[in-house]
Each structure stands twice: as C-alpha cells, then as structure tokens.
Amino acid sequence: MFTITVGRIGEHSRKTRTLSAREITLGRDSGSDLVLEDELVSRTHCRLVAIAGGALLLDEGSSNGTWLNRKRVERPELVTFDDELVIGPYTLRIQSLVGRCTTGHTLAHRDPPWAHPGGLPPGMAA
C-alpha cells in the first residue's frame, strides 16, 4: 500500500492518495492506478513496486522522462521518503508504504523523517 502526496510544480495545493496495491502504475491513461492528467505525462509513464526499504521506480519508456531527485531515471531506482519524484508538471512524495516483500516479511514505513515537527520537507510549501 502506498500513500502518495501529489502536487503541480509551482502550485501550493497538494492531494494525498492511498493506493492499496504492492505495485502501482502512474500515467495519463484512465486505467492507471494513479492518473496524472497532462499531455507531458505518458499513458503509462512509470511504475512503483514496494520492496524492502522503500519502493522501486521503473520508467516505462515515457516520452518526457521520469525524474528522481532532479536526475532522469534511466534504470530501476530505489525511492525512499526523502526523495522527490517528478512526472511532467507533477511532484510526488511517498508518505507511507506498507507491503510484503517476496520473503513474506511485512514492510511498514509510517512517517517520513520530516513528518515531525515543522511538518513539510525543505522546498515544499504548505
């Protein structure tokens, strides 16, 4: 299960979504687990897969690229709570992650390091 905060670059409003799957797709297509409506977002842009220690980010051959901490994703990358994911005009942060790895152990990450006190990470406005 993923809890992800999504906002548009340059805007202060953010939305938080909780998705109950261990693996989710992000893209413009209405069949995506997390739909990001913008022409800069590919139909199936990328995937996030819950693994021990965070989530694995895989770009699905997107036209405009998937960006992790200001670097274009060229191969699978580990995403953790301090990371910023950019897809088209959207910024995303994983707020919590609960899932099962292949060994059957439960993965549970509830609060990102910046969740207490002060609330928001550097660079994010309320």
Side-chain angles (χ1 to χ4, degrees), residues 68-81:
L68 180 62
N69 300 324
R70 299 182 182 187
K71 294 180 185 171
R72 189 174 184 137
V73 174
E74 302 290 337
R75 63 184 191 290
E77 296 281 350
L78 180 65
V79 179
T80 61
F81 297 113

Side-chain angles (χ1 to χ4, degrees), residues 2-3 25 45 47 54 59 66 79 87 90 105-106 110 114 117:
F2 293 87
T3 301
T25 58
H45 200 96
R47 284 185 296 143
D59 183 85
T66 302
V79 179
I87 298 172
Y90 295 95
H105 294 95
T106 298
R110 298 254 182 236
W114 40 264

Side-chain angles (χ1 to χ4, degrees), residues 34-118:
L34 182 59
V35 177
L36 302 171
E37 295 178 7
D38 191 274
E39 61 192 31
L40 296 175
V41 178
S42 295
R43 283 182 177 81
T44 303
H45 200 96
C46 64
R47 284 185 296 143
L48 284 169
V49 181
I51 62 168
L56 193 61
L57 171 64
L58 302 103
D59 183 85
E60 292 293 327
S62 63
S63 299
N64 294 305
T66 302
W67 300 80
L68 180 62
N69 300 324
R70 299 182 182 187
K71 294 180 185 171
R72 189 174 184 137
V73 174
E74 302 290 337
R75 63 184 191 290
E77 296 281 350
L78 180 65
V79 179
T80 61
F81 297 113
D82 290 332
D83 294 329
E84 178 183 62
L85 176 61
V86 175
I87 298 172
Y90 295 95
T91 59
L92 300 93
R93 289 193 187 260
I94 296 175
Q95 301 297 311
S96 68
L97 172 63
V98 177
R100 290 199 174 270
C101 62
T102 56
T103 63
H105 294 95
T106 298
L107 308 174
H109 301 281
R110 298 254 182 236
D111 294 326
W114 40 264
H116 307 280

